[in-house]
Amino acid sequence: MNDLPRLPVDASHDKVIAALDEYGAVIIENLLPADLLAELNNIIDPLIDSASMTTEINELVDMFFGERVRHITGLAGKSTRFADELMCHPLFMALCDHILLPSCASYQLNLAHLMDRGPGSEQQMIHRDQEVWVHYCSQRAASDDGPLNDIQVASMIALVDFTKENGATCVVPGSHKWDYQREAKESELAYAEMSAGSAVIYRGSTLHAGGGNTTADTWRRGLHMSYCLGWFRTEENNVLTVPPAKAKLLSKRAQELLGYGIHDAINDAGGYLGAVNMRHPTALLNEDQL
Ligand SMILES: O=C(O)CCC(=O)C(=O)O
Ligand SMILES: [Fe+2]
């Protein structure tokens, strides 16, 4: 079986970046301190039994996620510790600086979406997360401008132990360097088996899928968190998910990542995106004007 690189949470940012550059994915062991892991699970516990197993978007989206998967979205609006600590974690910030800043002036949260893969759920189709911005990806793939810079940094954070049997995310190491048309063979998959509190972090261009859950009664609770370029539309509408009354309680960095920041590319001869009343939304938030 293929293996993914594994590093401890206190590994140097350079080591994690080197692993992501080489393999396209890396497991960070014990990313979450035990008390934060417990707090996130305590928030999820009362919600999970009634969580939806379908979306109200369309059948293709439901097919993509698969049957017997429970969804809880918008974690940034459900836990201030999620927003202030996990979303703003220095390791994620360093990885986003490295991967995303070549293509934007600032990056933002794309989504924070819990997926609980139930017994009997099948392996997802193998995909690249950044293809949600299909128009951008297909134009760049067709151009002669050389390889596409990655436009997303993604992760799946284990809130319970992840095993191959209960649906650990499967990843294709090295696939971020592949030609976009190349398909992965079964023998090229690696399974992100890891203990609760650990995370697999992968690039927007890395092929991966939620694994099939062949257990009789074990749900695989994983928190999907990703970031993208600051000038993209995000998958979750984070400003509505975390409206001003909640955003005010968070750190300025968290507010910026949730879309209350400005994408300021003026110094790069670009534009100033996301203003309100020609002002910075974080300033308005903190003056109680939003
Ligand atoms: O559930 C997983 O492990 C992966 C989910 C995923 O890749 C996705 O929804 O984009
Ligand atoms: Fe994915």
Side-chain angles (χ1 to χ4, degrees), residues 206-227:
T206 304
L207 289 171
H208 69 282
N213 184 333
T214 54
T215 67
D217 53 11
T218 308
W219 289 78
R220 189 232 62 180
R221 189 183 285 192
L223 173 49
H224 185 29
M225 175 173 76
S226 68
Y227 305 83

Side-chain angles (χ1 to χ4, degrees), residues 24-25 126-129 131 169-176 178-185 188-190 202-209:
I126 294 180
H127 62 276
R128 295 184 160 92
D129 281 351
E131 292 204 355
T169 312
C170 47
V171 181
V172 187
S175 55
H176 62 304
W178 290 7
D179 181 277
Y180 254 47
Q181 314 316 322
R182 177 169 159 190
E183 285 182 21
K185 301 189 199 89
E188 291 170 312
L189 300 182
Y202 55 96
R203 306 174 71 104
S205 59
T206 304
L207 289 171
H208 69 282

Side-chain angles (χ1 to χ4, degrees), residues 122-180:
E122 289 181 2
Q123 185 189 303
Q124 235 185 346
M125 63 179 271
I126 294 180
H127 62 276
R128 295 184 160 92
D129 281 351
Q130 68 187 25
E131 292 204 355
V132 289
W133 298 284
V134 62
H135 304 93
Y136 180 86
C137 290
S138 56
Q139 277 182 33
R140 289 298 307 270
S143 82
D144 295 328
D145 288 349
L148 181 71
N149 274 338
D150 280 331
I151 54 184
Q152 189 187 37
V153 173
S155 65
M156 181 55 86
I157 300 159
L159 297 190
V160 295
D161 292 344
F162 271 32
T163 63
K164 184 175 178 192
E165 292 70 34
N166 75 8
T169 312
C170 47
V171 181
V172 187
S175 55
H176 62 304
K177 297 181 182 166
W178 290 7
D179 181 277
Y180 254 47

Side-chain angles (χ1 to χ4, degrees), residues 4 19 27 40 88 126 136 142 151 155 194-195 205 244-245 249 282 289:
L4 290 168
I27 292 177
L40 292 174
C88 300
I126 294 180
Y136 180 86
I151 54 184
S155 65
M194 53 190 170
S195 57
S205 59
L249 307 175
T282 52
Q289 293 194 54

Side-chain angles (χ1 to χ4, degrees), residues 50-83:
S50 56
S52 176
M53 292 213 224
T54 55
T55 71
E56 289 187 19
I57 302 174
N58 67 34
E59 281 173 15
L60 286 177
V61 177
D62 285 344
M63 253 168 66
F64 171 76
F65 286 124
E67 286 178 8
R68 304 204 48 73
V69 180
R70 300 189 287 207
H71 298 272
I72 298 180
T73 58
L75 267 289
K78 293 185 166 63
S79 160
T80 50
R81 283 193 73 190
F82 170 88

Side-chain angles (χ1 to χ4, degrees), residues 105 262-273:
I262 286 287
H263 186 268
D264 180 357
I266 298 278
N267 288 336
D268 304 320
Y272 191 76
L273 313 177

Side-chain angles (χ1 to χ4, degrees), residues 87 92-93 95-97 99-101 103-111 129-133 136 150-155 202-204 225-236 238 253 256-259 263:
M87 179 179 72
F92 280 105
M93 299 298 93
L95 302 178
C96 289
D97 286 354
I99 293 175
L100 304 179
L101 282 188
S103 310
C104 59
S106 55
Y107 44 82
Q108 59 185 333
L109 182 78
N110 176 48
L111 53 70
D129 281 351
Q130 68 187 25
E131 292 204 355
V132 289
W133 298 284
Y136 180 86
D150 280 331
I151 54 184
Q152 189 187 37
V153 173
S155 65
Y202 55 96
R203 306 174 71 104
M225 175 173 76
S226 68
Y227 305 83
C228 66
L229 304 187
W231 47 274
F232 275 1
R233 190 82 201 264
T234 54
E235 279 184 82
E236 283 190 335
N238 295 315
R253 188 70 182 112
E256 289 167 348
L257 288 168
L258 289 169
H263 186 268

